[in-house]
Amino acid sequence: MLFQFALGESWGWPAKPVHHLMVVAHLTAGILLTAIMGFRIAWRLTKGRQLSYLLRPLDRCFVMSVEYTLYVLLLAEIVLGYLWRWGAGQAMSFFGFLIPSPFTRFPAALLHWIQTIHHWNAWLVVAIATGHGMAAVFHQVILKDGVLDRMMLHGDQRANPLFTQKP
């Protein structure tokens, strides 16, 4: 996401050849992000980790609301990106392979609205993800409750009481 955000916020600075490469990289990364989100949601619905019953109910509620908010905002960002590109009558580029627009060109006012929402939604995702990351560091450094261990894919995670497997 940070790569996507940095590209989107800075591609207006360089000259045409570099600008074009940045746009193509943004589009390619967006398509990859679409696949990653699809995989992530499928994983979450099937074998995904669940928060431990040891968490206080208020903590559990807050964690779940932030996670699901990020899912919704990321999915909205992806959809808005496709709509903006395809609505402008342009193809999506995936490592140089062009995926044509399935739509007719959108009115300019609608495209501007989609672009604006895409831009501000990106800022919102980065802000919430930053807060989410800061909360994880707070748990690890200040509370020392091992919350970051729950996110690691190594070792015997079943011994960590901060998470359990879905049955």
Side-chain angles (χ1 to χ4, degrees):
M1 273 307 301
L2 288 178
F3 175 72
Q4 284 290 80
F5 183 76
L7 282 174
E9 287 299 311
S10 63
W11 68 28
W13 302 342
K16 191 81 170 171
V18 174
H19 167 82
H20 176 72
L21 289 175
M22 291 173 77
V23 171
V24 169
H26 185 81
L27 296 173
T28 298
I31 292 170
L32 289 173
L33 182 61
T34 303
I36 290 168
M37 284 300 293
F39 174 78
R40 176 76 175 132
I41 290 169
W43 177 79
R44 181 75 173 181
L45 293 173
T46 57
K47 298 178 184 186
R49 307 274 185 223
Q50 294 296 308
L51 294 175
S52 171
Y53 63 89
L54 298 175
L55 288 175
R56 294 178 298 194
L58 186 60
D59 289 341
R60 175 185 286 283
C61 180
F62 188 69
V63 167
M64 295 303 290
S65 65
V66 169
E67 283 186 10
Y68 289 128
T69 298
L70 281 171
Y71 276 114
V72 168
L73 292 175
L74 283 169
L75 289 173
E77 191 68 3
I78 290 167
V79 169
L80 288 165
Y82 282 96
L83 289 175
W84 180 20
R85 184 74 179 183
W86 281 340
Q90 299 176 338
M92 291 288 290
S93 177
F94 184 66
F95 292 109
F97 175 74
L98 297 179
I99 304 167
S101 173
F103 308 117
T104 59
R105 192 170 173 85
F106 294 173
L110 178 58
L111 277 177
H112 178 71
W113 182 82
I114 291 170
Q115 177 186 3
T116 301
I117 300 300
H118 184 69
H119 171 80
W120 288 111
N121 190 58
W123 276 97
L124 187 57
V125 167
V126 167
I128 292 173
T130 299
H132 189 58
M134 290 171 60
V137 170
F138 175 79
H139 274 268
Q140 187 70 19
V141 175
I142 304 299
L143 298 179
K144 299 181 192 284
D145 60 7
V147 75
L148 289 181
D149 293 340
R150 176 188 163 295
M151 298 177 208
M152 300 299 152
L153 296 175
H154 58 81
D156 185 11
Q157 294 179 336
R158 288 173 291 166
N160 188 335
L162 288 176
F163 75 89
T164 58
Q165 282 288 100
K166 268 188 180 177

